[in-house]
Amino acid sequence: MQDDDIAAIMRALGHPVRLNILRILANQQRGECCCADVTDELTLAQSTVSQHIKVLLDAGLIERKPRGTRNCYIVQHERLAAMGTAFSGMVAGLGRTAPKLESELA
Protein backbone atom coordinates (compact mmCIF):
# COMPACT_ATOMS: atom_id res chain seq x y z
CA MET A 1 0.00 0.00 0.00
CA GLN A 2 1.38 3.40 -1.02
CA ASP A 3 1.76 6.36 1.35
CA ASP A 4 -0.96 8.25 -0.53
CA ASP A 5 -3.40 5.38 0.10
CA ILE A 6 -2.49 5.24 3.77
CA ALA A 7 -2.94 9.00 4.15
CA ALA A 8 -6.33 8.96 2.36
CA ILE A 9 -7.59 6.14 4.58
CA MET A 10 -6.30 7.84 7.73
CA ARG A 11 -8.12 11.05 6.73
CA ALA A 12 -11.32 9.08 6.18
CA LEU A 13 -10.95 7.38 9.56
CA GLY A 14 -10.12 10.68 11.25
CA HIS A 15 -13.73 11.51 12.12
CA PRO A 16 -15.64 9.72 14.90
CA VAL A 17 -18.87 9.60 12.87
CA ARG A 18 -17.14 7.73 10.05
CA LEU A 19 -15.67 5.24 12.52
CA ASN A 20 -19.17 4.76 13.90
CA ILE A 21 -20.59 4.24 10.40
CA LEU A 22 -17.96 1.54 9.74
CA ARG A 23 -18.95 -0.18 13.00
CA ILE A 24 -22.63 -0.03 12.05
CA LEU A 25 -21.92 -1.53 8.62
CA ALA A 26 -19.60 -4.20 10.04
CA ASN A 27 -22.21 -5.29 12.61
CA GLN A 28 -25.00 -5.88 10.08
CA GLN A 29 -26.03 -9.53 10.04
CA ARG A 30 -26.72 -9.49 6.32
CA GLY A 31 -23.36 -7.80 5.69
CA GLU A 32 -24.76 -4.63 4.15
CA CYS A 33 -27.16 -1.81 4.88
CA CYS A 34 -28.58 1.29 3.24
CA CYS A 35 -28.00 4.92 4.16
CA ALA A 36 -31.44 5.09 5.81
CA ASP A 37 -30.48 2.18 8.07
CA VAL A 38 -27.29 3.98 9.11
CA THR A 39 -29.19 7.26 9.64
CA ASP A 40 -31.65 5.45 11.93
CA GLU A 41 -28.72 4.47 14.18
CA LEU A 42 -27.24 7.99 14.36
CA THR A 43 -28.60 11.33 15.54
CA LEU A 44 -27.60 13.08 12.32
CA ALA A 45 -29.42 14.31 9.24
CA GLN A 46 -29.51 11.97 6.26
CA SER A 47 -27.50 14.48 4.20
CA THR A 48 -24.72 14.50 6.81
CA VAL A 49 -24.62 10.70 6.91
CA SER A 50 -24.51 10.62 3.09
CA GLN A 51 -21.52 12.98 3.08
CA HIS A 52 -19.64 10.80 5.57
CA ILE A 53 -20.48 7.70 3.52
CA LYS A 54 -19.09 9.43 0.43
CA VAL A 55 -15.77 10.02 2.19
CA LEU A 56 -15.60 6.33 3.14
CA LEU A 57 -16.46 5.36 -0.45
CA ASP A 58 -13.78 7.65 -1.88
CA ALA A 59 -11.20 6.10 0.45
CA GLY A 60 -12.23 2.62 -0.71
CA LEU A 61 -13.26 1.52 2.78
CA ILE A 62 -16.80 0.66 1.74
CA GLU A 63 -18.45 -0.40 -1.51
CA ARG A 64 -21.83 0.63 -2.90
CA LYS A 65 -24.26 -2.05 -4.14
CA PRO A 66 -27.46 -0.95 -5.91
CA ARG A 67 -30.56 -2.69 -4.53
CA GLY A 68 -33.58 -1.54 -6.50
CA THR A 69 -34.01 2.17 -5.83
CA ARG A 70 -31.61 2.15 -2.88
CA ASN A 71 -27.87 1.92 -2.50
CA CYS A 72 -26.53 -0.43 0.13
CA TYR A 73 -23.02 -0.35 1.53
CA ILE A 74 -20.56 -3.08 2.43
CA VAL A 75 -17.31 -2.78 4.40
CA GLN A 76 -14.21 -3.60 2.34
CA HIS A 77 -12.54 -5.85 4.92
CA GLU A 78 -9.59 -6.62 2.62
CA ARG A 79 -8.75 -2.93 2.30
CA LEU A 80 -9.01 -2.43 6.07
CA ALA A 81 -6.75 -5.46 6.64
CA ALA A 82 -4.20 -4.10 4.14
CA MET A 83 -4.34 -0.76 5.93
CA GLY A 84 -3.76 -2.46 9.27
CA THR A 85 -0.71 -4.27 7.94
CA ALA A 86 0.69 -1.15 6.27
CA PHE A 87 0.00 1.01 9.30
CA SER A 88 1.59 -1.40 11.78
CA GLY A 89 4.68 -1.63 9.57
CA MET A 90 4.85 2.14 9.29
CA VAL A 91 4.47 2.64 13.04
CA ALA A 92 7.07 -0.04 13.77
CA GLY A 93 9.48 1.78 11.47
CA LEU A 94 8.88 5.03 13.34
CA GLY A 95 9.60 3.35 16.67
CA ARG A 96 13.26 2.70 15.92
CA THR A 97 15.81 4.38 18.13
CA ALA A 98 16.22 7.99 17.11
CA PRO A 99 19.72 9.32 16.51
CA LYS A 100 21.13 11.38 19.35
CA LEU A 101 20.85 15.12 19.02
CA GLU A 102 24.00 17.22 19.31
CA SER A 103 22.76 18.65 22.61
CA GLU A 104 22.47 15.08 24.00
CA LEU A 105 26.01 14.15 22.93
CA ALA A 106 27.63 16.97 24.87
Side-chain angles (χ1 to χ4, degrees), residues 11 13 23 33 54 61 76 79-80 82 87 102:
R11 277 191 300 276
L13 295 176
R23 282 187 199 101
C33 68
K54 182 183 181 324
L61 295 172
Q76 291 299 314
R79 182 128 165 111
L80 282 172
F87 188 74
E102 287 184 32

mmCIF file of all heavy atoms in Angstrom, residues 11 13 23 33 54 61 76 79-80 82 87 102:
data_model
loop_
_atom_site.group_PDB
_atom_site.id
_atom_site.type_symbol
_atom_site.label_atom_id
_atom_site.label_comp_id
_atom_site.label_asym_id
_atom_site.label_seq_id
_atom_site.Cartn_x
_atom_site.Cartn_y
_atom_site.Cartn_z
ATOM 1 N N ARG A 11 -7.222 9.879 6.743
ATOM 2 C CA ARG A 11 -8.116 11.054 6.734
ATOM 3 C C ARG A 11 -9.569 10.613 6.858
ATOM 4 O O ARG A 11 -10.353 11.207 7.598
ATOM 5 C CB ARG A 11 -7.920 11.876 5.460
ATOM 6 C CG ARG A 11 -6.758 12.840 5.518
ATOM 7 C CD ARG A 11 -6.756 13.819 4.352
ATOM 8 N NE ARG A 11 -6.662 13.182 3.051
ATOM 9 C CZ ARG A 11 -5.528 12.801 2.472
ATOM 10 N NH1 ARG A 11 -4.381 12.992 3.075
ATOM 11 N NH2 ARG A 11 -5.540 12.231 1.294
ATOM 12 N N LEU A 13 -10.709 7.929 8.238
ATOM 13 C CA LEU A 13 -10.946 7.377 9.565
ATOM 14 C C LEU A 13 -10.769 8.418 10.669
ATOM 15 O O LEU A 13 -10.983 8.119 11.833
ATOM 16 C CB LEU A 13 -10.001 6.196 9.820
ATOM 17 C CG LEU A 13 -10.211 4.983 8.924
ATOM 18 C CD1 LEU A 13 -9.144 3.931 9.216
ATOM 19 C CD2 LEU A 13 -11.606 4.418 9.084
ATOM 20 N N ARG A 23 -18.495 0.800 12.002
ATOM 21 C CA ARG A 23 -18.947 -0.180 12.999
ATOM 22 C C ARG A 23 -20.376 -0.635 12.701
ATOM 23 O O ARG A 23 -20.688 -1.821 12.803
ATOM 24 C CB ARG A 23 -18.873 0.415 14.401
ATOM 25 C CG ARG A 23 -17.502 0.453 14.972
ATOM 26 C CD ARG A 23 -17.505 0.886 16.435
ATOM 27 N NE ARG A 23 -16.183 1.336 16.783
ATOM 28 C CZ ARG A 23 -15.815 2.608 16.871
ATOM 29 N NH1 ARG A 23 -16.677 3.576 16.684
ATOM 30 N NH2 ARG A 23 -14.581 2.921 17.183
ATOM 31 N N CYS A 33 -25.967 -2.576 4.524
ATOM 32 C CA CYS A 33 -27.162 -1.807 4.885
ATOM 33 C C CYS A 33 -27.194 -0.525 4.075
ATOM 34 O O CYS A 33 -26.200 -0.107 3.488
ATOM 35 C CB CYS A 33 -27.255 -1.547 6.376
ATOM 36 S SG CYS A 33 -26.056 -0.450 7.070
ATOM 37 N N LYS A 54 -19.845 9.101 1.636
ATOM 38 C CA LYS A 54 -19.092 9.433 0.427
ATOM 39 C C LYS A 54 -17.587 9.444 0.704
ATOM 40 O O LYS A 54 -16.794 8.953 -0.096
ATOM 41 C CB LYS A 54 -19.539 10.770 -0.144
ATOM 42 C CG LYS A 54 -18.810 11.139 -1.426
ATOM 43 C CD LYS A 54 -19.215 12.494 -1.928
ATOM 44 C CE LYS A 54 -18.539 12.902 -3.211
ATOM 45 N NZ LYS A 54 -17.165 12.498 -3.395
ATOM 46 N N LEU A 61 -13.005 2.305 1.572
ATOM 47 C CA LEU A 61 -13.258 1.524 2.778
ATOM 48 C C LEU A 61 -14.602 0.810 2.750
ATOM 49 O O LEU A 61 -14.800 -0.158 3.482
ATOM 50 C CB LEU A 61 -13.173 2.420 4.014
ATOM 51 C CG LEU A 61 -11.779 3.000 4.267
ATOM 52 C CD1 LEU A 61 -11.823 4.013 5.387
ATOM 53 C CD2 LEU A 61 -10.801 1.882 4.574
ATOM 54 N N GLN A 76 -15.273 -2.936 3.106
ATOM 55 C CA GLN A 76 -14.212 -3.596 2.345
ATOM 56 C C GLN A 76 -13.157 -4.112 3.326
ATOM 57 O O GLN A 76 -12.155 -3.449 3.608
ATOM 58 C CB GLN A 76 -13.600 -2.622 1.328
ATOM 59 C CG GLN A 76 -14.535 -2.266 0.212
ATOM 60 C CD GLN A 76 -14.922 -3.506 -0.576
ATOM 61 O OE1 GLN A 76 -14.082 -4.327 -0.934
ATOM 62 N NE2 GLN A 76 -16.200 -3.649 -0.838
ATOM 63 N N ARG A 79 -9.432 -4.229 2.297
ATOM 64 C CA ARG A 79 -8.747 -2.926 2.302
ATOM 65 C C ARG A 79 -8.397 -2.513 3.734
ATOM 66 O O ARG A 79 -7.311 -1.996 3.974
ATOM 67 C CB ARG A 79 -9.627 -1.866 1.638
ATOM 68 C CG ARG A 79 -8.979 -0.505 1.558
ATOM 69 C CD ARG A 79 -9.018 0.023 0.155
ATOM 70 N NE ARG A 79 -8.737 1.441 0.097
ATOM 71 C CZ ARG A 79 -7.631 1.928 -0.430
ATOM 72 N NH1 ARG A 79 -6.736 1.120 -0.970
ATOM 73 N NH2 ARG A 79 -7.428 3.226 -0.466
ATOM 74 N N LEU A 80 -9.298 -2.747 4.671
ATOM 75 C CA LEU A 80 -9.005 -2.435 6.069
ATOM 76 C C LEU A 80 -7.858 -3.294 6.590
ATOM 77 O O LEU A 80 -6.994 -2.814 7.325
ATOM 78 C CB LEU A 80 -10.246 -2.630 6.933
ATOM 79 C CG LEU A 80 -11.284 -1.522 6.861
ATOM 80 C CD1 LEU A 80 -12.551 -1.930 7.601
ATOM 81 C CD2 LEU A 80 -10.743 -0.225 7.419
ATOM 82 N N ALA A 82 -5.425 -4.602 4.780
ATOM 83 C CA ALA A 82 -4.204 -4.101 4.144
ATOM 84 C C ALA A 82 -3.733 -2.834 4.838
ATOM 85 O O ALA A 82 -2.530 -2.636 5.042
ATOM 86 C CB ALA A 82 -4.443 -3.844 2.653
ATOM 87 N N PHE A 87 -0.115 0.067 8.197
ATOM 88 C CA PHE A 87 -0.004 1.006 9.305
ATOM 89 C C PHE A 87 0.905 0.450 10.404
ATOM 90 O O PHE A 87 1.745 1.165 10.933
ATOM 91 C CB PHE A 87 -1.388 1.335 9.863
ATOM 92 C CG PHE A 87 -1.374 2.438 10.872
ATOM 93 C CD1 PHE A 87 -1.189 3.754 10.485
ATOM 94 C CD2 PHE A 87 -1.550 2.159 12.218
ATOM 95 C CE1 PHE A 87 -1.171 4.773 11.413
ATOM 96 C CE2 PHE A 87 -1.538 3.177 13.159
ATOM 97 C CZ PHE A 87 -1.346 4.489 12.756
ATOM 98 N N GLU A 102 22.732 16.672 18.892
ATOM 99 C CA GLU A 102 24.002 17.222 19.311
ATOM 100 C C GLU A 102 23.992 17.634 20.772
ATOM 101 O O GLU A 102 24.962 17.437 21.494
ATOM 102 C CB GLU A 102 24.378 18.421 18.434
ATOM 103 C CG GLU A 102 24.807 18.014 17.040
ATOM 104 C CD GLU A 102 25.259 19.219 16.234
ATOM 105 O OE1 GLU A 102 25.799 20.179 16.813
ATOM 106 O OE2 GLU A 102 25.052 19.184 15.009
#
